Amino acid sequence: MIHKFKLSGFNILLDVNSGGVHIVDDLTYDLLDNVEPPFADECPEEVVNKLSKLYDAEEIKECYGEIVELYNDKILFSEDDYEKYAKFAVASPVKAMCLHIAHDCNLRCEYCFASTGDYGVGRKRMSLETGKKAIDFLIEKSQDRKFLELDFFGGEPLMNWDVVKEIVIYAREREKECGKKFRFTITTNGLLLTDDKIDFINEEMSNVVLSIDGRKSVNDRMRKRVDGTGSYDKITDVFKKLVDKRGDKEYYVRGTYTKYNLDFSEDVMHLYELGFDQISVEPVMADPEMPYAITEADLPKIFKEYEILAQKLQKVYDEGKFVNFFHFMLDLDQGPCAIKRLRGCGCGNEYVAVTPDGDIYPCHQFVGIDDFKMGNLDDGTFNQEMKSYFAASHVYSKPECKKCWAKFYCSGGCNANNYIYEGDIHNAHKLSCEIQKKRLECSIMMKALKLAETAE
Amino acid sequence: MKHIKTINKANLKKTAEKGGCGKCQASCQSACKTSCTVANQKCAKDE
């Protein structure tokens, strides 16, 4: 399978199964509409005749030879022989957890997927006892995995700060006993950040995700406090302070764009201009009936906006400066292995979410959906049948993914979005897919631009 | 080549042979939380 596209003056050709990326001239681009394996030794006469209106016949034959050479080298039209690996990692250890430390929030964001923090099941905070059980559960289920990931999530985790700290202390004790290493993350709206919390987070958390949508008008329209006032003025200062003190450790400012700001490249650049250089801004996923929801009708504008964003980021790079946009990150040589790419996030298999009541779900997005409750820490239940069900969810078990050029980049997308918007974890969520594919094309183009200067 | 310039190692198949160690980060634990992007993760096998 190949995928080709034109962007920013480049003709880009992706060989899906080898991961090969090629920059091609117009002749190759057009010739590939007319030839495919099995290849004859010489370019078919009818193809030469057809294209000779636009190109020189000898050039066409020469170009055909190059295509056949790359085919023989297995980096063009290479075979899809990964399905046999799909059975790998079926009984994976659990190595990552989203810990819902507080089902409560001090913001009332209009678009909140968690029903303004309580997931539709009541405002609650996790007890230290439940938090310790979650740590014990993760250590036990992780088997031989050394690195364990735990994200303090909510609601707003800082609303249960003392328990966050105690859980970290407990996990640090247990990791020494068990030969494990915890990597903590916290996702916060920033309203309760203070100097001592910043210092603790910067010391203990491998990554911190700071929620802010961009421009003040954009942020405050959706991210309001309980009294209706906006959050921008408070959080920009504390986020900057946290990042300035953080050194080289990982962080992201993370925003959501909606139908109200389809010019979201302005928000990405606003965050950059505020002094943040690790930025993630992504589309809201919501009931299409909601006034802020993104729908398929918005896609042309969104596609254009990603191209504009790529140009703006390129301008930053051309000036010798740095900014990282999460959804354009791509390493064409050293990225994840093909096995990882078959299954993606690993929710319900390698990754689970735990609620304040100790209920276990495949991930945070499934919390509150009764059919997907996997178990409970108090009664010791953990549904192995459901774990196997999620383990068997991979790009070859999803009909639309199997035939999609982007399958080794998105790995079958978000199972929760698939379920919530398309009725089954195996049904690709079309809106997410279209946006994902556009982001991939932009990121491949940006890599092509960089690598073309150095490749032979 | 004159018409085609290959710009990467195209090594996905090799990664299948030696991959699957499971040491890498869970994809949704990084910055997204509402969408799954995997190719922007890095391999952690040698860590």
Side-chain angles (χ1 to χ4, degrees):
Chain A
M1 185 189 297
I2 61 166
H3 173 66
K4 61 188 177 74
F5 59 97
K6 290 175 182 275
L7 196 55
S8 295
F10 285 98
N11 298 330
I12 295 174
L13 169 62
L14 173 70
D15 182 51
V16 172
N17 298 319
S18 69
V21 179
H22 315 277
I23 299 171
V24 303
D25 61 10
D26 288 339
L27 166 54
T28 313
Y29 199 90
D30 291 341
L31 184 52
L32 283 166
D33 288 330
N34 295 277
V35 296
E36 62 179 11
F39 290 110
D41 289 341
E42 301 291 332
C43 187
E45 204 56 41
E46 67 272 19
V47 174
V48 176
N49 290 337
K50 182 179 171 188
L51 291 178
S52 60
K53 291 166 195 145
L54 289 170
Y55 304 101
D56 178 76
E58 288 308 310
E59 293 269 321
I60 296 168
K61 291 174 186 171
E62 181 183 67
C63 182
Y64 180 84
E66 290 187 13
I67 289 172
V68 173
E69 188 179 335
L70 291 180
Y71 170 72
N72 289 334
D73 288 344
K74 298 184 172 30
I75 53 174
L76 199 58
F77 296 105
S78 60
E79 202 181 337
D80 184 347
D81 51 8
Y82 296 102
E83 193 161 359
K84 61 180 179 281
Y85 297 110
K87 66 180 186 296
F88 279 38
V90 167
S92 284
V94 181
K95 65 171 184 177
M97 179 181 283
C98 184
L99 195 62
H100 291 226
I101 200 79
H103 273 188
D104 198 357
C105 194
N106 43 8
L107 284 182
R108 294 291 180 269
C109 304
E110 204 177 321
Y111 51 50
C112 183
F113 77 92
S115 308
T116 70
D118 73 354
Y119 292 79
V121 290
R123 299 192 179 276
K124 281 181 187 165
R125 298 179 194 193
M126 183 176 281
S127 67
L128 177 57
E129 185 190 2
T130 300
K132 286 181 174 178
K133 282 182 185 169
I135 295 293
D136 294 342
F137 173 89
L138 187 54
I139 288 171
E140 181 200 329
K141 301 294 182 195
S142 64
Q143 299 173 29
D144 61 345
R145 293 283 188 269
K146 182 178 178 186
F147 295 107
L148 307 181
E149 300 159 41
L150 189 133
D151 187 20
F152 291 103
F153 201 64
E156 171 50 43
L158 298 191
M159 293 183 79
N160 199 9
W161 177 247
D162 288 343
V163 174
V164 171
K165 282 203 300 187
E166 291 297 325
I167 290 172
V168 170
I169 291 165
Y170 178 72
R172 292 291 182 225
E173 288 167 5
R174 296 262 11 237
E175 72 180 3
K176 282 186 202 126
E177 296 163 14
C178 306
K180 305 284 185 183
K181 185 68 189 163
F182 275 93
R183 289 170 170 162
F184 294 110
T185 299
I186 193 164
T187 301
T188 178
N189 65 33
L191 281 184
L192 295 175
L193 271 177
T194 53
D195 285 349
D196 61 324
K197 292 189 184 93
I198 287 172
D199 290 343
F200 187 88
I201 286 169
N202 282 345
E203 177 68 26
E204 293 290 353
M205 308 283 170
S206 302
N207 189 9
V208 52
V209 180
L210 309 167
S211 301
I212 177 172
D213 284 350
R215 291 164 290 181
K216 180 179 164 74
S217 59
V218 169
N219 184 83
D220 287 354
R221 181 170 189 170
M222 298 302 273
R223 302 185 65 79
K224 294 177 200 147
R225 299 177 203 235
V226 179
D227 67 6
T229 59
S231 55
Y232 177 93
D233 289 335
K234 161 74 181 174
I235 59 177
T236 46
D237 287 345
V238 286
F239 285 171
K240 195 72 182 60
K241 184 184 272 188
L242 184 150
V243 169
D244 286 345
K245 293 176 85 174
R246 193 162 171 78
D248 294 334
K249 287 178 95 169
E250 196 177 6
Y251 78 93
Y252 280 96
V253 286
R254 192 267 186 222
T256 299
Y257 70 82
T258 71
K259 192 191 274 292
Y260 299 146
N261 63 317
L262 295 178
D263 59 346
F264 56 86
S265 74
E266 294 286 331
D267 294 289
V268 174
M269 297 316 291
H270 180 76
L271 293 168
Y272 171 67
E273 283 152 17
L274 284 175
F276 302 112
D277 60 5
Q278 301 283 352
I279 302 169
S280 171
V281 173
E282 65 176 301
V284 69
M285 289 297 146
D287 179 340
E289 296 301 314
M290 292 291 133
Y292 53 80
I294 285 167
T295 64
E296 287 183 32
D298 299 316
L299 287 175
K301 166 72 180 140
I302 289 171
F303 291 168
K304 188 70 194 161
E305 195 63 19
Y306 277 114
E307 292 182 22
I308 292 169
L309 176 59
Q311 289 169 0
K312 289 178 177 176
L313 296 175
Q314 193 56 50
K315 192 160 174 278
V316 173
Y317 302 139
D318 290 344
E319 290 167 358
K321 295 173 183 163
F322 173 78
V323 59
N324 177 36
F325 179 66
F326 181 78
H327 287 99
F328 284 171
M329 279 168 74
L330 192 62
D331 187 333
L332 294 176
D333 286 326
Q334 308 290 333
C337 66
I339 313 291
K340 164 83 169 180
R341 291 170 189 245
L342 299 180
R343 199 172 274 100
C345 70
C347 81
N349 185 29
E350 295 179 309
Y351 170 49
V352 295
V354 172
T355 71
D357 289 329
D359 290 333
I360 304 166
Y361 288 88
C363 83
H364 56 292
Q365 297 273 356
F366 283 106
V367 166
I369 304 175
D370 289 342
D371 287 348
F372 284 94
K373 183 178 161 183
M374 296 183 80
N376 181 276
L377 296 177
D378 290 324
D379 63 23
T381 51
F382 187 46
N383 187 335
Q384 292 301 315
E385 198 179 329
M386 192 179 295
K387 187 174 184 295
S388 300
Y389 173 72
F390 277 92
S393 171
H394 47 71
V395 294
Y396 293 100
S397 67
K398 299 177 179 181
E400 292 104 322
C401 300
K402 193 173 179 175
K403 59 190 180 193
C404 177
W405 67 265
K407 61 177 176 280
F408 296 128
Y409 297 86
C410 83
S411 303
C414 171
N415 284 325
N417 282 342
N418 291 353
Y419 174 76
I420 293 165
Y421 300 109
E422 304 288 350
D424 190 299
I425 66 167
H426 300 94
N427 295 342
H429 179 222
K430 192 176 175 216
L431 187 66
S432 298
C433 293
E434 294 304 315
I435 293 172
Q436 176 72 285
K437 285 189 278 190
K438 185 63 188 182
R439 292 190 299 221
L440 282 168
E441 288 188 347
C442 287
S443 52
I444 292 171
M445 178 276 292
M446 292 179 82
K447 287 289 172 193
L449 181 64
K450 193 173 173 189
L451 295 170
E453 295 162 3
T454 53
E456 289 180 4
Chain B
M1 285 188 174
K2 185 173 158 189
H3 302 276
I4 305 173
K5 186 186 280 188
T6 302
I7 61 164
N8 70 341
K9 293 176 185 165
N11 58 359
L12 194 55
K13 297 220 171 185
K14 282 184 188 160
T15 71
E17 290 157 16
K18 67 179 178 77
C21 75
K23 288 184 182 175
C24 52
Q25 192 178 31
S27 314
C28 210
Q29 291 287 75
S30 43
C32 44
K33 284 285 187 188
T34 50
S35 74
C36 191
T37 310
V38 174
N40 62 7
Q41 304 279 310
K42 60 183 178 184
C43 175
K45 187 169 186 171
D46 296 329
E47 286 187 22

